[in-house]
Amino acid sequence: MSAQPDTPAPADWRPDSWQSRAAAQQPVYEDPQALRSAVERLSRLPPLVTSWEIESLKAQLAEAARGERFLLQGGDCSESFEDCESGAIAAKLKILLQMSLVLVHGGRRRVIRVGRFAGQYAKPRSADTETREGVTLPAYRGDMINRLAFEAAERRHDPELLLRGYERAGLTVNFIRALIDGGFADLHHPEYWELDFVHRSPLAGEYTRMVESIGESIRFMETLAGGALTEMNRVDFYTSHEGLHLLYEQAQTRQVPRRQGWYNLTTHLPWIGNRTRALDGAHLEYFRGIRNPVGIKISAGIGADELQALCERLNPANEPGRLTVIHRMGADKVEKALPPLVEALRRRGTRVLWCCDPMHANTLTTHAGVKTRRFETILDEIEKSFQILTDCGSCLGGVHFELTGENVTECLGGASGVTEADLSRAYRSQVDPRLNYEQSLEMAMRLARLMASQRA
Ligand code: PEP
Ligand code: CO
């Protein structure tokens, strides 16, 4: 079946039809007038992405579902306003470019690069409130909703933060587009993306040899072609975030000239979180009507019938590329939980891209009470997922990481050997622990080897 760019929205759907359903994990604002005013101003701002970029990503995701490409999605668990600065943004771009280079080289598959940024500012929480020394305040829900400091004024849900978040998302997208258009991602100059500590890393030798071999191949091809390979100068880069705060998503849901249907123009690939995927809930209602490709996170507890029902609701026409199932089951559960789902969808001909999030079900708390994850356990869930999907006659089409281009110490293990004692040294995440620069690069190398062995 070909892509269907001109499908209208369902007749009974509107960008605000979700408001008649129960919406989980939404902030509670004190002043409805202030909220209305903020959402109204937000809806008048220009979009961050375009419908043709969205459709082109959807077509690429359809290829990934068929094993012809590979989706690399990564970024912070929770972006912070403070980190909206050039160094941190460039570092995120650099690590994703380096990882994608490693995957293309070793895995021999074209890579779709999706940054979990420019809007990843709203978080689901397990409790609405937090209590410290007898004081109870609203939980921190992400920089677009309230502030981290444990003070009543900071934890108040503030609608103006929706605008501040959208503006920062715009600044982030603008900088990334400018870097890429200016040649930052040019394969002739991979040294542009090198982070300072690459040379101190135990992986430096392997990475440098790979970059040199790519350089030689490009020069060889250019000699053959008799000129520069201009295709090598730029890459596509897409954005994603959890579409959690439905008023924010709705405010930028638009119709565009010469296309039918509605697009969420805050991001290319919004996803539904594991905690907000109720079949009759507000998030499903909102997401079923937009034309973007969408992701849905699932945990080990989901049944095959439930997953099939979610797929039918989100993608009744079974459009290729529309749906990415991001499974996050845990290295200890994936072998039992994943195969029946893959089998069931395959039997019914339900088209999805399978993408492994090896982070969210592999979180542990150290004796000192620090939330962390082990490199080896993360890798284990990926390796098992690769095998399961191959055994089921399907393929793992992508991965979803929480990572940063900076030298933090939030996850344990990897070649550089982050230990429990190291965690306190550079733990910066406000929510979940991220792979640091070296751990991310090493993960890409291990993944590339896995992809290469599957080809053999
Ligand atoms: C997340 O991606 O940060 C998250 C909250 O994930 P999940 O919905 O899978 O728990
Ligand atoms: Co997270």
mmCIF file of all heavy atoms in Angstrom, residues 253-277:
data_model
loop_
_atom_site.group_PDB
_atom_site.id
_atom_site.type_symbol
_atom_site.label_atom_id
_atom_site.label_comp_id
_atom_site.label_asym_id
_atom_site.label_seq_id
_atom_site.Cartn_x
_atom_site.Cartn_y
_atom_site.Cartn_z
ATOM 1 N N THR A 253 -1.929 22.439 16.367
ATOM 2 C CA THR A 253 -2.459 21.416 15.462
ATOM 3 C C THR A 253 -3.232 22.135 14.370
ATOM 4 O O THR A 253 -4.211 22.824 14.646
ATOM 5 C CB THR A 253 -3.329 20.421 16.254
ATOM 6 O OG1 THR A 253 -2.497 19.825 17.254
ATOM 7 C CG2 THR A 253 -3.881 19.332 15.353
ATOM 8 N N ARG A 254 -2.743 22.029 13.162
ATOM 9 C CA ARG A 254 -3.210 22.899 12.087
ATOM 10 C C ARG A 254 -3.555 22.127 10.828
ATOM 11 O O ARG A 254 -3.013 21.049 10.587
ATOM 12 C CB ARG A 254 -2.074 23.848 11.674
ATOM 13 C CG ARG A 254 -1.456 24.641 12.780
ATOM 14 C CD ARG A 254 -1.717 26.095 12.538
ATOM 15 N NE ARG A 254 -1.217 26.869 13.650
ATOM 16 C CZ ARG A 254 -0.103 27.601 13.609
ATOM 17 N NH1 ARG A 254 0.610 27.652 12.506
ATOM 18 N NH2 ARG A 254 0.256 28.299 14.659
ATOM 19 N N GLN A 255 -4.345 22.801 9.989
ATOM 20 C CA GLN A 255 -4.495 22.347 8.613
ATOM 21 C C GLN A 255 -3.550 23.182 7.779
ATOM 22 O O GLN A 255 -3.320 24.357 8.070
ATOM 23 C CB GLN A 255 -5.925 22.537 8.167
ATOM 24 C CG GLN A 255 -6.825 21.478 8.785
ATOM 25 C CD GLN A 255 -8.253 21.601 8.343
ATOM 26 O OE1 GLN A 255 -8.889 22.620 8.602
ATOM 27 N NE2 GLN A 255 -8.750 20.589 7.672
ATOM 28 N N VAL A 256 -2.999 22.578 6.739
ATOM 29 C CA VAL A 256 -2.031 23.308 5.922
ATOM 30 C C VAL A 256 -2.552 23.356 4.491
ATOM 31 O O VAL A 256 -3.332 22.496 4.093
ATOM 32 C CB VAL A 256 -0.631 22.644 5.983
ATOM 33 C CG1 VAL A 256 -0.089 22.647 7.402
ATOM 34 C CG2 VAL A 256 -0.664 21.234 5.429
ATOM 35 N N PRO A 257 -2.115 24.352 3.718
ATOM 36 C CA PRO A 257 -2.606 24.455 2.346
ATOM 37 C C PRO A 257 -2.287 23.208 1.526
ATOM 38 O O PRO A 257 -1.235 22.595 1.714
ATOM 39 C CB PRO A 257 -1.842 25.668 1.786
ATOM 40 C CG PRO A 257 -1.361 26.419 2.975
ATOM 41 C CD PRO A 257 -1.192 25.429 4.079
ATOM 42 N N ARG A 258 -3.188 22.847 0.664
ATOM 43 C CA ARG A 258 -3.015 21.750 -0.305
ATOM 44 C C ARG A 258 -2.833 20.359 0.298
ATOM 45 O O ARG A 258 -2.368 19.458 -0.354
ATOM 46 C CB ARG A 258 -1.853 22.052 -1.280
ATOM 47 C CG ARG A 258 -2.202 23.140 -2.288
ATOM 48 C CD ARG A 258 -1.049 23.445 -3.200
ATOM 49 N NE ARG A 258 0.034 24.086 -2.488
ATOM 50 C CZ ARG A 258 0.027 25.377 -2.129
ATOM 51 N NH1 ARG A 258 -1.001 26.147 -2.439
ATOM 52 N NH2 ARG A 258 1.046 25.889 -1.475
ATOM 53 N N ARG A 259 -3.160 20.216 1.558
ATOM 54 C CA ARG A 259 -3.201 18.860 2.113
ATOM 55 C C ARG A 259 -4.457 18.735 2.954
ATOM 56 O O ARG A 259 -4.903 19.711 3.557
ATOM 57 C CB ARG A 259 -2.021 18.608 3.059
ATOM 58 C CG ARG A 259 -0.693 18.363 2.389
ATOM 59 C CD ARG A 259 0.282 17.839 3.448
ATOM 60 N NE ARG A 259 1.654 18.077 3.099
ATOM 61 C CZ ARG A 259 2.394 17.271 2.345
ATOM 62 N NH1 ARG A 259 1.860 16.180 1.828
ATOM 63 N NH2 ARG A 259 3.648 17.558 2.090
ATOM 64 N N GLN A 260 -4.973 17.516 3.008
ATOM 65 C CA GLN A 260 -6.109 17.300 3.900
ATOM 66 C C GLN A 260 -5.572 16.925 5.281
ATOM 67 O O GLN A 260 -4.410 16.584 5.444
ATOM 68 C CB GLN A 260 -6.951 16.161 3.363
ATOM 69 C CG GLN A 260 -7.629 16.509 2.058
ATOM 70 C CD GLN A 260 -8.835 15.614 1.848
ATOM 71 O OE1 GLN A 260 -9.717 15.532 2.699
ATOM 72 N NE2 GLN A 260 -8.856 14.958 0.706
ATOM 73 N N GLY A 261 -6.470 16.932 6.233
ATOM 74 C CA GLY A 261 -6.086 16.441 7.558
ATOM 75 C C GLY A 261 -5.370 17.490 8.380
ATOM 76 O O GLY A 261 -5.126 18.612 7.931
ATOM 77 N N TRP A 262 -5.052 17.118 9.598
ATOM 78 C CA TRP A 262 -4.463 18.027 10.578
ATOM 79 C C TRP A 262 -3.070 17.541 10.960
ATOM 80 O O TRP A 262 -2.851 16.343 11.097
ATOM 81 C CB TRP A 262 -5.329 18.075 11.840
ATOM 82 C CG TRP A 262 -6.691 18.658 11.617
ATOM 83 C CD1 TRP A 262 -7.754 18.053 11.018
ATOM 84 C CD2 TRP A 262 -7.123 19.966 11.990
ATOM 85 N NE1 TRP A 262 -8.835 18.905 11.001
ATOM 86 C CE2 TRP A 262 -8.478 20.086 11.592
ATOM 87 C CE3 TRP A 262 -6.508 21.049 12.626
ATOM 88 C CZ2 TRP A 262 -9.216 21.242 11.812
ATOM 89 C CZ3 TRP A 262 -7.251 22.203 12.852
ATOM 90 C CH2 TRP A 262 -8.592 22.295 12.436
ATOM 91 N N TYR A 263 -2.171 18.479 11.168
ATOM 92 C CA TYR A 263 -0.800 18.140 11.561
ATOM 93 C C TYR A 263 -0.479 18.790 12.896
ATOM 94 O O TYR A 263 -0.818 19.965 13.115
ATOM 95 C CB TYR A 263 0.196 18.656 10.523
ATOM 96 C CG TYR A 263 0.167 17.863 9.238
ATOM 97 C CD1 TYR A 263 -0.759 18.162 8.240
ATOM 98 C CD2 TYR A 263 1.036 16.800 9.041
ATOM 99 C CE1 TYR A 263 -0.805 17.430 7.064
ATOM 100 C CE2 TYR A 263 0.998 16.056 7.874
ATOM 101 C CZ TYR A 263 0.076 16.372 6.888
ATOM 102 O OH TYR A 263 0.038 15.631 5.739
ATOM 103 N N ASN A 264 0.227 18.055 13.742
ATOM 104 C CA ASN A 264 0.810 18.654 14.935
ATOM 105 C C ASN A 264 2.142 19.248 14.491
ATOM 106 O O ASN A 264 3.081 18.511 14.161
ATOM 107 C CB ASN A 264 1.015 17.580 16.016
ATOM 108 C CG ASN A 264 1.653 18.142 17.279
ATOM 109 O OD1 ASN A 264 2.374 19.143 17.241
ATOM 110 N ND2 ASN A 264 1.401 17.501 18.400
ATOM 111 N N LEU A 265 2.230 20.565 14.500
ATOM 112 C CA LEU A 265 3.415 21.225 13.950
ATOM 113 C C LEU A 265 4.413 21.660 15.034
ATOM 114 O O LEU A 265 5.279 22.487 14.787
ATOM 115 C CB LEU A 265 2.993 22.398 13.064
ATOM 116 C CG LEU A 265 2.144 21.989 11.847
ATOM 117 C CD1 LEU A 265 1.680 23.223 11.067
ATOM 118 C CD2 LEU A 265 2.887 21.043 10.907
ATOM 119 N N THR A 266 4.295 21.076 16.241
ATOM 120 C CA THR A 266 5.329 21.338 17.245
ATOM 121 C C THR A 266 6.503 20.389 17.080
ATOM 122 O O THR A 266 7.584 20.643 17.597
ATOM 123 C CB THR A 266 4.817 21.126 18.692
ATOM 124 O OG1 THR A 266 4.496 19.738 18.878
ATOM 125 C CG2 THR A 266 3.607 21.975 19.009
ATOM 126 N N THR A 267 6.284 19.259 16.411
ATOM 127 C CA THR A 267 7.333 18.240 16.300
ATOM 128 C C THR A 267 7.003 17.295 15.151
ATOM 129 O O THR A 267 5.861 17.225 14.713
ATOM 130 C CB THR A 267 7.452 17.448 17.625
ATOM 131 O OG1 THR A 267 8.622 16.627 17.567
ATOM 132 C CG2 THR A 267 6.248 16.564 17.897
ATOM 133 N N HIS A 268 8.016 16.541 14.702
ATOM 134 C CA HIS A 268 7.731 15.588 13.625
ATOM 135 C C HIS A 268 7.073 14.320 14.157
ATOM 136 O O HIS A 268 6.144 13.810 13.559
ATOM 137 C CB HIS A 268 9.041 15.205 12.920
ATOM 138 C CG HIS A 268 9.771 16.372 12.342
ATOM 139 N ND1 HIS A 268 10.912 16.892 12.904
ATOM 140 C CD2 HIS A 268 9.507 17.127 11.244
ATOM 141 C CE1 HIS A 268 11.334 17.917 12.186
ATOM 142 N NE2 HIS A 268 10.496 18.094 11.177
ATOM 143 N N LEU A 269 7.629 13.833 15.284
ATOM 144 C CA LEU A 269 7.211 12.510 15.773
ATOM 145 C C LEU A 269 6.796 12.580 17.240
ATOM 146 O O LEU A 269 7.597 12.326 18.139
ATOM 147 C CB LEU A 269 8.389 11.521 15.595
ATOM 148 C CG LEU A 269 8.241 10.097 16.129
ATOM 149 C CD1 LEU A 269 7.074 9.372 15.489
ATOM 150 C CD2 LEU A 269 9.525 9.295 15.879
ATOM 151 N N PRO A 270 5.544 12.940 17.511
ATOM 152 C CA PRO A 270 5.102 12.924 18.909
ATOM 153 C C PRO A 270 4.796 11.489 19.328
ATOM 154 O O PRO A 270 4.407 10.673 18.502
ATOM 155 C CB PRO A 270 3.817 13.749 18.878
ATOM 156 C CG PRO A 270 3.295 13.608 17.482
ATOM 157 C CD PRO A 270 4.476 13.345 16.581
ATOM 158 N N TRP A 271 5.035 11.182 20.614
ATOM 159 C CA TRP A 271 4.677 9.829 21.054
ATOM 160 C C TRP A 271 3.782 9.888 22.290
ATOM 161 O O TRP A 271 3.746 10.886 23.006
ATOM 162 C CB TRP A 271 5.920 8.982 21.295
ATOM 163 C CG TRP A 271 6.633 9.183 22.590
ATOM 164 C CD1 TRP A 271 6.308 8.641 23.800
ATOM 165 C CD2 TRP A 271 7.808 9.987 22.818
ATOM 166 N NE1 TRP A 271 7.214 9.053 24.756
ATOM 167 C CE2 TRP A 271 8.142 9.871 24.184
ATOM 168 C CE3 TRP A 271 8.612 10.781 21.992
ATOM 169 C CZ2 TRP A 271 9.239 10.528 24.750
ATOM 170 C CZ3 TRP A 271 9.696 11.436 22.550
ATOM 171 C CH2 TRP A 271 9.998 11.302 23.912
ATOM 172 N N ILE A 272 3.069 8.776 22.481
ATOM 173 C CA ILE A 272 2.178 8.620 23.636
ATOM 174 C C ILE A 272 2.944 7.811 24.677
ATOM 175 O O ILE A 272 3.515 6.767 24.356
ATOM 176 C CB ILE A 272 0.898 7.840 23.244
ATOM 177 C CG1 ILE A 272 0.214 8.490 22.043
ATOM 178 C CG2 ILE A 272 -0.061 7.722 24.427
ATOM 179 C CD1 ILE A 272 -0.943 7.672 21.479
ATOM 180 N N GLY A 273 2.962 8.291 25.905
ATOM 181 C CA GLY A 273 3.715 7.599 26.954
ATOM 182 C C GLY A 273 2.970 6.362 27.449
ATOM 183 O O GLY A 273 1.762 6.202 27.233
ATOM 184 N N ASN A 274 3.699 5.528 28.140
ATOM 185 C CA ASN A 274 3.126 4.293 28.663
ATOM 186 C C ASN A 274 1.999 4.560 29.659
ATOM 187 O O ASN A 274 1.091 3.760 29.797
ATOM 188 C CB ASN A 274 4.246 3.477 29.315
ATOM 189 C CG ASN A 274 3.788 2.121 29.750
ATOM 190 O OD1 ASN A 274 3.176 1.392 28.964
ATOM 191 N ND2 ASN A 274 4.040 1.780 30.998
ATOM 192 N N ARG A 275 2.054 5.712 30.336
ATOM 193 C CA ARG A 275 1.039 5.981 31.363
ATOM 194 C C ARG A 275 -0.195 6.681 30.822
ATOM 195 O O ARG A 275 -1.138 6.933 31.559
ATOM 196 C CB ARG A 275 1.627 6.892 32.442
ATOM 197 C CG ARG A 275 2.703 6.204 33.208
ATOM 198 C CD ARG A 275 3.246 7.135 34.268
ATOM 199 N NE ARG A 275 4.659 6.854 34.394
ATOM 200 C CZ ARG A 275 5.388 7.220 35.419
ATOM 201 N NH1 ARG A 275 4.856 7.883 36.405
ATOM 202 N NH2 ARG A 275 6.661 6.930 35.468
ATOM 203 N N THR A 276 -0.172 7.059 29.567
ATOM 204 C CA THR A 276 -1.308 7.840 29.038
ATOM 205 C C THR A 276 -1.915 7.167 27.813
ATOM 206 O O THR A 276 -2.540 7.828 26.999
ATOM 207 C CB THR A 276 -0.856 9.274 28.682
ATOM 208 O OG1 THR A 276 0.330 9.196 27.894
ATOM 209 C CG2 THR A 276 -0.575 10.103 29.913
ATOM 210 N N ARG A 277 -1.742 5.852 27.703
ATOM 211 C CA ARG A 277 -2.208 5.205 26.481
ATOM 212 C C ARG A 277 -3.547 4.473 26.641
ATOM 213 O O ARG A 277 -3.843 3.540 25.886
ATOM 214 C CB ARG A 277 -1.133 4.252 25.953
ATOM 215 C CG ARG A 277 -0.742 3.160 26.915
ATOM 216 C CD ARG A 277 0.126 2.123 26.232
ATOM 217 N NE ARG A 277 0.719 1.192 27.151
ATOM 218 C CZ ARG A 277 0.076 0.214 27.776
ATOM 219 N NH1 ARG A 277 -1.222 0.041 27.582
ATOM 220 N NH2 ARG A 277 0.723 -0.591 28.597
#
